[in-house]
Amino acid sequence: MAEHPGSGDIEPVPNRTKGRTMAGNDLGGLLGSLLGGGGQSGGGGAGGILGSLIGALAGGRGTGAGNGSNPLGGLLEMLTRSGLTDQTQSWVGTGENQSVSGTQIAEALPDETLRKVAQDAGVSPQEAADQIARTLPTAVDRLTPTGSMPEGSLEDIIRQQQL
């Protein structure tokens, strides 16, 4: 195929994807679709925030959440260690999802990770934590329809859940 300079050029995505299989914007788009569209404001909506969070954790740098190609399990483990066991189990389980506050999310995540996610989304760290708190339970619930963490990479799991 011939390239046509100037028509349809794709600008590089500013996300840093060192060692990750999917760019944060791609992952954010998949998560946004999973959450029912992306009509939300602020840095790419809920999917963008969660994509950035998962991407930051997949980088692994000392977060304790690097879990191979499925950093979601590492994130849930991190939240569990922070005292949010009942909440995370409710999201994975088949019952009603328990809520979590932005403050609880902010306390559970490493400061550096939350600052990076907020910067990527163009919001304050507290707003990023609030958006994560609002959307993470639904995302985890939809990614774990059988009540347990599916096998495979996070990208494969997200794609499997597309309707």
Side-chain angles (χ1 to χ4, degrees):
M1 289 191 185
E3 291 186 19
H4 301 286
S7 65
D9 287 348
I10 298 173
E11 293 183 1
V13 176
N15 285 351
R16 288 136 199 92
T17 59
K18 296 176 188 166
R20 293 197 303 255
T21 58
M22 179 176 278
N25 278 359
D26 293 341
L27 184 55
L30 285 174
L31 285 166
S33 296
L34 187 70
L35 291 167
Q40 297 164 352
S41 62
I49 287 276
L50 292 180
S52 181
L53 173 61
I54 298 295
L57 294 175
R61 296 193 301 252
T63 64
N67 188 13
S69 61
N70 186 353
L72 180 62
L75 172 59
L76 296 180
E77 199 174 295
M78 180 186 298
L79 296 175
T80 297
R81 284 194 310 262
S82 296
L84 300 174
T85 303
D86 291 341
Q87 290 90 336
T88 57
Q89 287 178 349
S90 77
W91 307 339
V92 173
T94 57
E96 187 172 332
N97 291 337
Q98 293 184 19
S99 64
V100 64
S101 72
T103 300
Q104 290 171 305
I105 292 292
E107 289 172 357
L109 295 176
D111 289 339
E112 178 184 329
T113 299
L114 189 56
R115 279 194 302 270
K116 179 179 182 338
V117 169
Q119 181 181 4
D120 288 351
V123 299
S124 72
Q126 186 58 53
E127 178 60 23
D130 290 344
Q131 287 185 30
I132 292 165
R134 282 191 302 269
T135 57
L136 186 60
T138 301
V140 172
D141 185 54
R142 291 187 180 165
L143 289 170
T144 58
T146 62
S148 63
M149 188 66 65
E151 296 293 321
S153 73
L154 183 57
E155 292 88 353
D156 290 341
I157 293 167
I158 291 170
R159 286 190 178 105
Q160 289 169 10
Q161 301 307 319
Q162 297 298 305
L163 301 174

